[in-house]
Amino acid sequence: MDVPAIVVKGRAEGSHSEHYADHREQNQNAEAFALEPCLLKGGRFVAVIVHRAGGAKHSSDPLGLLQSSGSGGNAEIENSFQNAAPHHGRANFVIHAAFAAAGIVTVLLGPILPILISRWSLSDERAGLFFTTQFCGQLAGCLSTGVLIPIRRRGYRLTFAIGFALIALGVAALGLGDARIGLVGTALYGYGLGLALTGGNLWVAEVFPQRRATAVSILNVTWTIGAIACGPLVMLAEDLHMLAKFLVGVALFHAICALLIGAWEIEPLEYAPDERAASPAAPRTRLIGAAAFALSALFFLYVGTESAVGGWVAAYANRVESISATMSALTPAFFWCGLMTGRALAPAALRSLATRKDGEKILTGCGLSLAALASSALLFATTYRAALACATFAGLGLACVYPILVGWLVRIYGAHARRFGSIVFATGSLGGATLPWLVGAVSTHMSALRMGLVVPIAACVAMLLVNGFFPERREA
């Protein structure tokens, strides 16, 4: 039977290691380590790996060892890759499935809004309120995770259950109500998306600490699948006069996910006692550190760039070459396909660079360079096919950036990522609202959408600069 493993490391004077594996490599004496079973409250067993640093002898009682550092160094507790609660496997499956459905909901307004404008006789000004409402709801949801997720023993469970339930209510309201109810529904599912998407990224990063970027990449691949499928599914449902039934089906799926997650124990094992008992000033110091500002800037620029390119590529392709409304609506799917492909390949790329200390920074830099080049080439595209190719390569370049940023977030903040990560994710939401608007503003002022698309190119260059000077792994 597989059991969670808690690594108890003795730190001798002058030694420092981030992971148990690194520490083991630095200490070749295999006799310095011992594996002992430990029964915790609630009948849960864990395997305790004990390192006797500097030849010091610790008590063979693991419970006593957890409570005291002994002589010869401080004992630390670190979650290993196997630190999983009994329901983590099934919860991981449900969360991935729910992320695919959340991908549909996130980009739903794009393909469905023209239908709603016709059905409810909306002006462009009133139709634009739906985007503003979804953004405001999603921003509030991101900020709320800073309160919900840190709740002991049930923070993630509450976050997912409330988030999926509100998505279900909001999507159902959009499908069954009138314009006013639909607007309220958009706010509800926007808030739910803020909870669920933020919580999901943090959860997998905590549950799989030794391969955070890979786990977040896989999770976001499932989200991208839903984003790609949204447009065709909405068009098919409308052609079959089943749009309301389609939305209700999406709502029911999220409701089922909320019930399942709400019934399971899904919390990651606790962080080290010294992290939980850290003084209130410690996270505040980290929050204002250089790495924290750099990370917030990267989130702001990345989400804004993704939203700007994905949101404006259809309009730009239509101006490059006259195409049908259907082809124009499907254009963003090529960008999302590039994004999905890149995230599917990201785990292999990360494994190949695992031996490099700055491997993640190298991969981020290469991805941003490709995105900048592809976006620049888009400005000179003269045919629809050329625009599609540029959009695909831009998505491919951006693919690895977000998962790596989430991994950095959890590594920098540690236990405090549950609380302060909500602020960093909120800066990403602000970027998603700001940069696409800036593209439109520049385009209107310069009377050329080509000039507006310089904005995401400049954002890629700025991210390259921040990535190059990003502080190393330790502290924010």
Side-chain angles (χ1 to χ4, degrees), residues 23 34 143 216 307 363 393 397 415 456 459:
H23 198 74
L143 293 174
V216 176
S307 301
L363 186 58
F393 279 106

Side-chain angles (χ1 to χ4, degrees), residues 61-314:
D61 177 12
L63 289 179
L65 184 61
L66 294 176
Q67 295 171 356
S68 64
S69 61
S71 59
N74 294 326
E76 295 178 346
I77 301 174
E78 179 180 294
N79 292 338
S80 76
F81 172 74
Q82 297 176 345
N83 255 349
H87 293 123
H88 279 180
R90 65 188 73 174
N92 192 41
F93 174 81
V94 171
I95 289 170
H96 278 70
F99 253 60
I104 295 175
V105 178
T106 304
V107 301
L108 180 62
L109 285 180
I112 203 176
L113 200 59
I115 300 172
L116 299 181
I117 290 173
S118 175
R119 178 181 300 175
W120 294 335
S121 301
L122 299 175
S123 64
D124 288 345
E125 182 180 3
R126 290 191 63 191
L129 286 176
F130 283 83
F131 290 102
T132 304
T133 301
Q134 178 179 337
F135 158 71
C136 291
Q138 197 162 339
L139 178 61
C142 288
L143 293 174
S144 296
T145 59
V147 177
L148 288 174
I149 292 178
I151 296 177
R152 187 173 175 82
R153 298 182 183 274
R154 58 183 183 275
Y156 277 110
R157 187 194 308 183
L158 283 174
T159 299
F160 286 127
I162 296 172
F164 293 147
L166 289 178
I167 293 174
L169 286 174
V171 173
L174 185 65
L176 300 177
D178 56 16
R180 291 183 179 179
I181 294 177
L183 193 63
V184 174
T186 303
L188 288 176
Y189 80 65
Y191 187 86
L193 286 171
L195 292 177
L197 298 183
T198 303
N201 281 284
L202 290 175
W203 186 82
V204 297
E206 286 195 47
V207 172
F208 305 106
Q210 293 189 7
R211 56 183 185 97
R212 289 187 181 114
T214 297
V216 176
S217 291
I218 295 172
L219 180 68
N220 283 277
V221 164
T222 62
W223 180 92
T224 311
I225 292 173
I228 295 171
C230 180
L233 287 175
V234 169
M235 292 171 59
L236 178 62
E238 178 65 11
D239 289 342
L240 296 176
H241 305 288
M242 298 177 61
L243 183 59
K245 293 181 180 179
F246 167 71
L247 295 177
V248 170
V250 173
L252 286 175
F253 181 81
H254 280 98
I256 293 171
C257 291
L259 291 174
L260 291 175
I261 294 296
W264 293 337
E265 174 57 55
I266 67 168
E267 301 303 310
L269 295 185
E270 295 294 337
Y271 284 92
D274 58 324
E275 291 184 4
R276 290 199 309 267
S279 65
R284 207 167 290 148
T285 302
R286 288 186 171 191
L287 185 63
I288 63 175
F293 279 116
L295 194 59
S296 297
L298 288 170
F299 266 85
F300 178 90
L301 293 169
Y302 172 79
V303 177
T305 300
E306 181 186 285
S307 301
V309 177
W312 283 101
V313 68

